[in-house]
């Protein structure tokens, strides 16, 4: 297997008893180095005949230990998708230097869609760095989500991968045709605003988000692999290198500038990390939701 067992176990220990997933992919090869879903369970309990009490505990645990969250868990990816939206904006003629003034929200009709703060003038790189909803609302509405969805699919969302594991779930990359087919309703501008920041109907698995990040990092059509020797030659994405450079610079600023993940900056001068934060409500407990 491609799994690095020490890294995999380290990630599992860091999650501990929390409900979560860690997927680590080599963004040059597609090798899956860690594929963790917590809390987990002992499969030997089933082969030996699971007791009624243990079965009840597994089924009643609101952290859902029997769900492989990495492959089967579907969640709103939130602001992690803003670099993807940025690539769609660039493809459809948005100048990355153009600024949108963020006053703390974006008005659509009689509703104000909130931002995370009052960011002032934001270009694309600074909007990724600060995770400015207002910028992405404005540009997303300008080009429409039907032009954003194909980039999401190109980067791995809504896709199944050729892995020797059953029951992957595809998630949802919505567009106007999808909504018409599923709900017999027209796509609305509020749907566009929500989807552009990874909310609304958008759902993705942790594995898909890892592939998404690896494709942006490499500029290649990365496929995830679990078995060594199965890797195929990588094809370049149909995305201009100049466009990738803009969103990579924004993701670098998230960690190494004055961005939303500055606390995660690595203390090693020879190792530099880029990324994108995102928050969404994913877990229901006693009638409430927890992020």
């Amino acid at each position: 297997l491609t799994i690095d067992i020490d890294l995999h176990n380290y990630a599992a220990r860091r999650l501990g008893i929390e409900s979560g997933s860690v997927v680590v992919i080599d963004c040059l090869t597609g090798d899956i180095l860690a594929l963790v879903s917590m809390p987990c369970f002992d499969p030997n309990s089933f082969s030996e005949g699971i007791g009624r009490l243990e079965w009840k505990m597994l089924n009643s645990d609101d952290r859902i230990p029997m769900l492989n969250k990495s492959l089967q868990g579907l969640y709103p990816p939130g602001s992690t998708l803003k670099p993807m939206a940025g690539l769609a904006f660039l493809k459809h003629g948005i100048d990355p230097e153009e600024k949108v003034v963020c006053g703390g929200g974006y008005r659509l009709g009689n509703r104000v869609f909130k931002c995370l703060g009052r960011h002032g003038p934001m270009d694309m790189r600074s909007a990724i760095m600060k995770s400015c909803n207002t910028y992405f609302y404005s540009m997303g509405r300008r080009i429409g989500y039907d032009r954003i969805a194909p980039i999401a699919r190109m980067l791995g969302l809504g896709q199944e991968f050729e892995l020797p594991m059953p029951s992957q779930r595809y998630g949802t990359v919505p567009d106007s045709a999808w909504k018409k087919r599923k709900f017999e309703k027209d796509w609305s501008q509020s749907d566009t605003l929500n989807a552009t920041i990874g909310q609304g109907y958008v759902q993705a698995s942790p594995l898909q988000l890892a592939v998404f990040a690896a494709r942006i990092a490499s500029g290649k059509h990365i496929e995830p692999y679990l078995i060594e020797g199965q890797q195929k030659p990588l094809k370049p994405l149909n995305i201009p290198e100049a466009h990738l450079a803009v969103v990579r610079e924004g993701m670098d600023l998230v960690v190494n500038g004055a961005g939303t993940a500055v606390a995660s900056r690595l203390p090693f001068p020879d190792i530099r990390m880029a990324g994108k934060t995102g928050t969404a409500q994913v877990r229901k407990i006693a009638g409430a939701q927890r992020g």
Side-chain angles (χ1 to χ4, degrees):
L1 298 179
T2 61
I3 293 290
D4 180 324
I5 192 61
D6 293 331
L7 178 63
H8 182 93
N9 287 340
Y10 174 76
R13 290 195 301 271
R14 288 298 302 267
L15 280 176
I17 63 171
E18 296 296 328
S19 177
S21 167
V22 175
V23 181
V24 181
I25 289 181
D26 185 323
C27 65
L28 298 180
T29 66
D31 290 355
I32 298 176
L33 304 178
L35 190 71
V36 178
S37 177
M38 296 294 287
C40 58
F41 62 92
D42 184 357
N44 290 320
S45 296
F46 289 86
S47 63
E48 297 169 359
I50 192 168
R52 182 178 299 178
L53 178 60
E54 186 176 359
W55 174 253
K56 182 178 180 181
M57 290 175 63
L58 287 173
N59 274 288
S60 61
D61 191 332
D62 59 37
R63 298 169 300 168
I64 323 179
M66 294 180 67
L67 178 73
N68 186 328
K69 298 177 179 68
S70 298
L71 301 174
Q72 299 170 311
L74 296 178
Y75 313 100
S79 293
T80 59
L81 292 195
K82 286 173 178 172
M84 176 274 295
L87 290 172
F89 300 162
L90 292 165
K91 177 180 175 64
H92 293 285
I94 300 296
D95 184 344
E97 308 300 333
E98 181 181 348
K99 291 182 169 61
V100 172
V101 178
C102 173
Y106 181 85
R107 180 173 292 277
L108 178 65
N110 60 2
R111 179 180 173 186
V112 175
F113 287 74
K114 293 183 179 180
C115 193
L116 303 176
R118 294 177 177 267
H119 296 118
M122 291 274 108
D123 61 16
M124 187 176 296
R125 295 174 181 84
S126 60
I128 293 173
M129 175 179 70
K130 292 292 188 181
S131 202
C132 177
N133 288 347
T134 300
Y135 176 90
F136 287 92
Y137 290 147
S138 177
M139 297 303 188
R141 185 183 180 190
R142 184 186 300 184
I143 73 167
Y145 201 76
D146 280 358
R147 290 179 168 180
I148 298 175
I151 301 295
R153 298 185 186 104
M154 181 188 299
L155 293 176
L157 273 67
Q159 307 299 305
E160 182 181 26
F161 305 110
E162 294 183 14
L163 295 175
M165 303 180 75
S167 304
Q168 286 183 61
R169 298 178 70 191
Y170 303 158
T172 303
V173 179
D175 55 23
S176 58
W178 172 87
K179 186 178 181 183
K180 193 73 171 179
R181 184 172 61 251
K182 187 171 181 66
F183 298 111
E184 297 184 352
K185 293 182 178 179
D186 292 332
W187 188 265
S188 68
Q189 291 185 340
S190 62
D191 290 332
T192 290
L193 301 194
N194 284 323
T196 300
I197 64 163
Q199 302 276 7
Y201 298 117
V202 183
Q203 288 191 317
S205 70
L207 174 63
Q208 289 172 342
L209 291 179
V211 171
F212 154 86
R215 289 183 180 180
I216 289 178
S218 66
K220 302 290 181 63
H221 194 274
I222 293 292
E223 290 286 338
Y225 294 97
L226 265 173
I227 299 177
E228 290 186 354
Q230 290 191 344
Q231 296 87 340
K232 300 175 184 178
L234 297 175
K235 299 177 181 179
L237 292 173
N238 187 25
I239 299 175
E241 186 63 30
H243 293 182
L244 289 167
V246 171
V247 299
R248 288 171 185 159
E249 289 166 15
M251 294 172 74
D252 179 76
L253 291 170
V254 168
V255 182
N256 302 300
T260 53
V262 65
S264 297
R265 184 180 301 168
L266 298 178
F268 312 111
D270 56 338
I271 304 176
R272 192 175 182 95
M273 179 174 69
K276 181 68 193 79
T277 57
T279 305
Q281 293 180 327
V282 298
R283 183 177 168 204
K284 294 182 178 180
I285 301 178
Q289 287 196 332
R290 178 176 298 177

